[in-house]
Amino acid sequence: METRVLPFTDESIAEAARLILAAEPVAVPTETVYGLAADATNAEAVARIYEAKGRPSFNPLIVHVPDLATAERIGHFDATARELAQQYWPGPLTLVLPLKDGADIASIVTAGLTTIGLRVPAHRAIQAVLRATGRPLAAPSANASGSISPTRANHVLKSLGGRIPLIIDGGPTERGIESTIIGATGGPLRLLRTGPIAIEAELASGDRIEAPGQLAGHYAPSKRLRIGAAKAEPDEYLIGFGEIRGDANLSPSGDLVEAAARLFDLLHEADESPRPRIAVAPVPDAGLGAAINDRLRRAAA
Ligand code: TXA
Ligand code: MG
């Protein structure tokens, strides 16, 4: 794939929006670092983020929205969370909140969790892409797994050149480090990641914050799960892959992007089925398969 680098203009934003609506991830500057943005309502688009980054495991991604009103349709804000949002948005603050029932967010975005990380970024380029697409955008840093976060278009090109179709060049990012992350999911606030906002110093004395908080726990089904299963035992719900059909199938054609996109939905389905155990057909360990298998091994442990 040829990676185009285009300066931030109305035309390049229109092209970025076209690609994102066609389920391709695009690198876009934010005020913190360059993000690799995909339509958060489209599971396959989000799976392509993982494919491009070569990330060997799934973790929940931050969803970017244009304003607080849009964020309120996705996450549940209590009074403290709303005050933080009003004070720091748009800006380098991410709030982890309970995910609203019925919010149109693909389960791969939250890696199956019932909470969601939301941020209203300040940078004009990502704001323009948010408005042009009309979609919430999942966007981790736009670098290959294991390399450092990109603060210039050229960093993205070195790391992801040939793996993504487009980089919007908005010059160097202002902040250079990823957003501060605060968990506001009930009880005291939790500092989940330090960042540009020194939040402890800024909070009203009445607000307690626990720092540093635990990072996201991993979603795993509540039932026993067996991996590498060629066929189901009578008490098992079989999640198939390719020719091993199963009760539900990650991807009948053996496509790993499709399999990654369906993984968390099918784990939830299996967990809710009347059968007491879950089995999963073998998934090849190449490319996105490594991330799928990493998650399945943790669920089976
Ligand atoms: O500055 C930034 O935040 C950049 C730019 C591109 O906006 N984005 C970024 O996204 O750093 P990402 O997806 O790489 O950050 C993911 C981190 C996870 O490792 C996790 O710690 C936290 O955000 N996170 C996201 N959703 C979460 C959730 N539901 N519960 C707990 N932590 C969550
Ligand atoms: Mg990163």
Side-chain angles (χ1 to χ4, degrees):
M1 178 186 298
E2 188 213 341
T3 301
R4 283 174 299 158
V5 182
L6 298 177
F8 168 34
T9 62
D10 290 349
E11 291 71 36
S12 65
I13 294 301
E15 178 61 1
R18 188 190 67 76
L19 287 163
I20 287 170
L21 293 174
E24 296 287 341
V26 172
V28 184
T30 82
E31 70 274 32
T32 59
V33 300
Y34 276 70
L36 186 58
D39 177 356
T41 69
N42 181 333
E44 292 199 15
V46 177
R48 291 205 179 93
I49 290 177
Y50 283 92
E51 189 182 43
K53 284 178 66 99
R55 214 185 224 185
S57 62
F58 296 112
N59 58 343
L61 302 177
I62 294 170
V63 171
H64 301 70
V65 291
D67 49 39
L68 176 56
T70 309
E72 297 242 24
R73 293 204 288 271
I74 300 173
H76 175 77
F77 288 72
D78 63 15
T80 313
R82 191 169 295 115
E83 271 171 39
L84 286 173
Q86 283 163 344
Q87 190 174 353
Y88 294 107
W89 284 353
L93 174 70
T94 295
L95 292 171
V96 172
L97 304 168
L99 178 63
K100 275 198 171 162
D101 278 344
D104 186 11
I105 296 291
S107 63
I108 188 175
V109 171
T110 61
L113 297 174
T114 56
T115 56
I116 185 156
L118 288 169
R119 170 160 115 81
V120 175
H123 198 288
R124 286 165 53 241
I126 187 158
Q127 275 288 344
V129 177
L130 284 164
R131 294 188 189 274
T133 56
R135 300 288 163 85
L137 298 176
S141 56
N143 54 276
S145 176
S147 50
I148 56 165
S149 292
T151 56
R152 294 172 180 271
N154 192 41
H155 298 164
V156 182
L157 185 64
K158 275 192 203 145
S159 192
L160 295 178
R163 293 164 162 261
I164 58 173
L166 178 62
I167 301 167
I168 302 293
D169 186 351
T173 63
E174 191 190 329
R175 303 288 193 151
I177 54 170
E178 279 105 338
S179 61
T180 301
I181 305 181
I182 302 286
T185 51
L189 299 172
R190 285 168 305 134
L191 179 61
L192 300 176
R193 183 171 75 187
T194 56
I197 295 173
I199 205 90
E200 309 90 316
E202 309 252 353
L203 286 175
S205 56
D207 295 325
R208 285 188 300 142
I209 184 153
E210 290 176 354
Q214 289 295 97
L215 274 181
H218 287 293
Y219 165 75
S222 62
K223 295 175 181 174
R224 247 179 52 208
L225 181 144
R226 181 168 70 90
I227 53 182
K231 63 192 272 287
E233 304 291 333
D235 62 347
E236 284 175 337
Y237 182 97
L238 179 62
I239 298 177
F241 178 81
E243 282 166 10
I244 300 179
R245 282 200 48 107
D247 297 288
N249 196 296
L250 287 166
S251 170
S253 66
D255 179 85
L256 289 168
V257 170
E258 184 181 30
R262 301 198 69 199
L263 177 65
F264 292 99
D265 284 348
L266 294 194
L267 286 173
H268 278 287
E269 245 174 73
D271 217 14
E272 281 155 21
S273 91
R275 267 168 266 167
R277 296 194 218 200
I278 305 169
V280 188
V283 175
D285 218 33
L288 268 177
I292 295 171
N293 285 324
D294 168 76
R295 176 47 54 110
L296 290 173
R297 273 192 300 273
R298 290 173 202 242

